[in-house]
Amino acid sequence: MITNFNLGKIASIKMQRVIKKTKNSIISTTIFTSIISSTLVCLFFYSIYLILINFNYNFTFNNIKILFYALFFSNIYVTLENISKGLKYYFLSSFGNLIFYSFSLSLPALFILLDFNNYQDVNTLFSISICIKIFGILLILLTLIYKKFINFNFSLPILKDFFVYVKWQTLSSAYVQIFDFFDKYLIKIFLGAASLSLYSIPQQIAGKLSVISDGLISVFIPKISSSKNKKKSFEILNSNFYGFFYIIGFFLILINPFIDELLIWWLKASASLSMVYLFKIFLMISFYICTTHIISTFLDTQNLSKKNSEIETFVLIFFIIGLIISVYYKNINYFAYTMLIRSLIAFFIKAFYIKKNLFNFHILILQNILFILIFFLSIYKNFILFYFFSSLFLILIFYNFPREAIKKEFLQ
């Protein structure tokens, strides 16, 4: 996600307000640039690899070619997938995603069942996986050629845009990787594998909320990018933002009293009170990460990727301080609260930055305070106040729900 440089995402935004000929040039330029940049990235890392093995042979991989083939094709695929979404070919991108990520990881296992002796070498299985990934890439690429979206005319303006926005988009992607994984590395090192399992399982389950927000954003990017006036942009942003915030927020409050039983039923003997406690915190974290992602995407479509990076840099300072405190006290709950504080700071800063674009911003802030209180009250089993604040939250939903904008966006 970092070495792809978000070329496809930039292109999917830029192609929305141009004629088909220019759009085709943008697509051709993006694919060509992605191939060149991916090649250079692989050569760069391969050079580093050669330097490392000269100093320490323990860095040697059994089949280094597979690693760099995988990196190269993954970069190309991410570009093509974003272009497909930009063209509103959602079935194509979904089917390509199924092949590239799901089939390429699961189908090689069938070869073990069919003929264990010939396919017991892990490198052979990796090679099969890469072949399946290449098929997913060819499916999208040949579709674009068949639909005549590739004309091999290269666009200098889009190349300039790449140089302007790539650094900020890539920096944001790097921050996402730090925020998503660095805490788990530290837990593994300082608290051990058992603590990592206790921490990761509820985090992964709660993280499934991103499936909904990612699907929403796939449609949101081309619609908001192609909007020709501020009023239309305002309606698209608010319908998507409030649609996710209210519908998912209402659902999370609705299931909150039953979360303990649901998690115990799902995990059976693996469930514990600590895991239930962490799961509720991670539900809040995931909810705010997804909501913030919608705002971040809006900023990207308004050519404000630099502002996204500046905010994330500021948030990173608090994140590192929280991790240092967590490591010092060696408390797994502190890591979870660090993630929560990080997600809340990012959300409130970005929401405040676009407050003029959000419907009834002050009510939104009040509702977020209520939402956070509701979850903490459920965590600490104060159900009287939980139901009281939940009722207030629902009343404000009824008052502040942008019905017409959401109807227009999702029910047309």
Side-chain angles (χ1 to χ4, degrees):
M1 301 310 298
I2 298 173
T3 56
N4 170 259
F5 302 126
N6 283 291
L7 298 175
K9 184 178 179 180
I10 297 170
S12 68
I13 294 170
K14 293 296 178 184
M15 68 173 68
Q16 301 306 320
R17 298 183 183 180
V18 296
I19 61 175
K20 184 176 180 180
K21 184 178 179 180
T22 305
K23 182 184 294 186
N24 294 351
S25 296
I26 291 173
I27 293 171
S28 300
T29 304
T30 304
I31 294 173
F32 175 77
T33 306
S34 183
I35 293 171
I36 298 300
S37 64
S38 299
T39 302
L40 293 175
V41 163
C42 290
L43 289 174
F44 172 75
F45 283 115
Y46 184 68
S47 300
I48 292 177
Y49 168 75
L50 292 177
I51 294 170
L52 289 175
I53 60 174
N54 281 332
F55 289 98
N56 190 339
Y57 284 105
N58 290 329
F59 286 109
T60 303
F61 289 96
N62 290 331
N63 195 333
I64 191 65
K65 291 181 181 179
I66 291 177
L67 174 65
F68 290 108
Y69 283 147
L71 176 61
F72 175 82
F73 289 120
S74 295
N75 281 331
I76 301 301
Y77 173 77
V78 173
T79 298
L80 292 172
E81 183 185 31
N82 279 304
I83 289 173
S84 299
K85 292 175 181 178
L87 293 169
K88 302 178 183 178
Y89 282 13
Y90 301 117
F91 177 80
L92 177 64
S93 66
S94 298
F95 192 61
N97 188 288
L98 178 67
I99 295 171
F100 193 87
Y101 292 116
S102 298
F103 287 171
S104 70
L105 295 177
S106 58
L107 288 182
L110 295 177
F111 288 87
I112 298 177
L113 296 174
L114 292 172
D115 192 337
F116 181 81
N117 293 326
N118 288 340
Y119 297 104
Q120 61 182 346
D121 180 11
V122 70
N123 287 325
T124 304
L125 297 177
F126 280 139
S127 298
I128 295 170
S129 179
I130 290 176
C131 290
I132 298 170
K133 289 180 183 294
I134 292 172
F135 178 74
I137 290 172
L138 289 175
L139 175 69
I140 298 178
L141 187 61
L142 292 175
T143 301
L144 295 179
I145 294 173
Y146 176 75
K147 295 289 185 178
K148 299 181 179 179
F149 282 112
I150 299 177
N151 59 10
F152 302 103
N153 291 325
F154 303 121
S155 170
L156 289 177
I158 191 63
L159 281 175
K160 292 178 181 178
D161 283 342
F162 286 155
F163 287 113
V164 172
Y165 298 113
V166 153
K167 55 182 180 292
W168 304 117
Q169 294 268 6
T170 303
L171 184 60
S172 294
S173 296
Y175 283 158
V176 168
Q177 303 307 309
I178 293 171
F179 291 141
D180 283 354
F181 297 108
F182 194 51
D183 57 326
K184 289 187 274 293
Y185 289 131
L186 294 178
I187 290 171
K188 175 65 169 65
I189 294 169
F190 292 101
L191 276 73
S195 294
L196 180 61
S197 298
L198 177 65
Y199 183 86
S200 297
I201 291 172
Q203 186 185 47
Q204 290 174 7
I205 298 173
K208 300 305 179 185
L209 279 180
S210 63
V211 173
I212 301 171
S213 64
D214 288 346
L216 198 70
I217 288 168
S218 296
V219 182
F220 174 69
I221 289 178
K223 291 200 74 171
I224 194 78
S225 301
S226 60
S227 176
K228 297 180 181 179
N229 57 68
K230 290 185 178 180
K231 182 182 178 182
K232 181 66 175 176
S233 297
F234 179 84
E235 290 176 351
I236 295 172
L237 170 63
N238 281 274
S239 59
N240 283 272
F241 176 82
Y242 280 110
F244 181 86
F245 182 82
Y246 283 145
I247 295 172
I248 302 302
F250 172 75
F251 174 75
L252 293 180
I253 291 174
L254 189 67
I255 68 167
N256 205 294
F258 313 103
I259 284 176
D260 298 32
E261 290 78 10
L262 286 171
L263 197 62
I264 291 170
W265 170 79
W266 181 263
L267 297 177
K268 304 229 172 8
S270 301
S272 65
L273 290 176
S274 298
M275 195 171 287
V276 173
Y277 178 87
L278 287 170
F279 180 64
K280 290 187 176 182
I281 295 175
F282 280 122
L283 272 180
M284 272 197 293
I285 294 169
S286 184
F287 176 75
Y288 278 104
I289 288 175
C290 293
T291 311
T292 307
H293 192 192
I294 295 172
I295 301 176
S296 301
T297 303
F298 172 73
L299 292 173
D300 286 338
T301 60
Q302 305 304 303
N303 299 324
L304 293 170
S305 299
K306 182 179 179 180
K307 180 56 64 176
N308 262 333
S309 298
E310 290 173 347
I311 294 171
E312 295 295 345
T313 302
F314 176 75
V315 173
L316 182 64
I317 297 170
F318 292 93
F319 182 68
I320 292 173
I321 293 171
L323 290 180
I324 292 171
I325 295 171
S326 303
V327 169
Y328 179 79
Y329 287 101
K330 294 186 178 180
N331 189 318
I332 194 171
N333 292 335
Y334 286 9
F335 283 95
Y337 280 115
T338 295
M339 295 291 290
L340 177 60
I341 293 169
R342 188 275 296 183
S343 62
L344 291 176
I345 292 174
F347 170 77
F348 281 111
I349 292 176
K350 291 187 180 184
F352 184 81
Y353 184 77
I354 66 163
K355 64 178 182 178
K356 293 181 179 178
N357 300 97
L358 292 174
F359 179 68
N360 285 348
F361 178 74
H362 297 295
I363 294 177
L364 173 67
I365 295 300
L366 176 59
Q367 284 181 303
N368 278 278
I369 294 172
L370 287 173
F371 186 83
I372 295 166
L373 283 172
I374 288 166
F375 259 82
F376 276 110
L377 288 168
S378 73
I379 289 171
Y380 293 105
K381 307 296 182 182
N382 191 333
F383 289 108
I384 294 174
L385 289 177
F386 168 82
Y387 287 114
F388 174 73
F389 285 118
S390 295
S391 300
L392 289 179
F393 184 83
L394 296 177
I395 291 169
L396 288 174
I397 286 180
F398 181 79
Y399 174 76
N400 200 46
F401 194 73
R403 298 173 186 81
E404 295 303 319
I406 290 178
K407 280 182 183 179
K408 190 175 181 180
E409 179 74 8
F410 296 107
L411 299 179
Q412 58 184 351

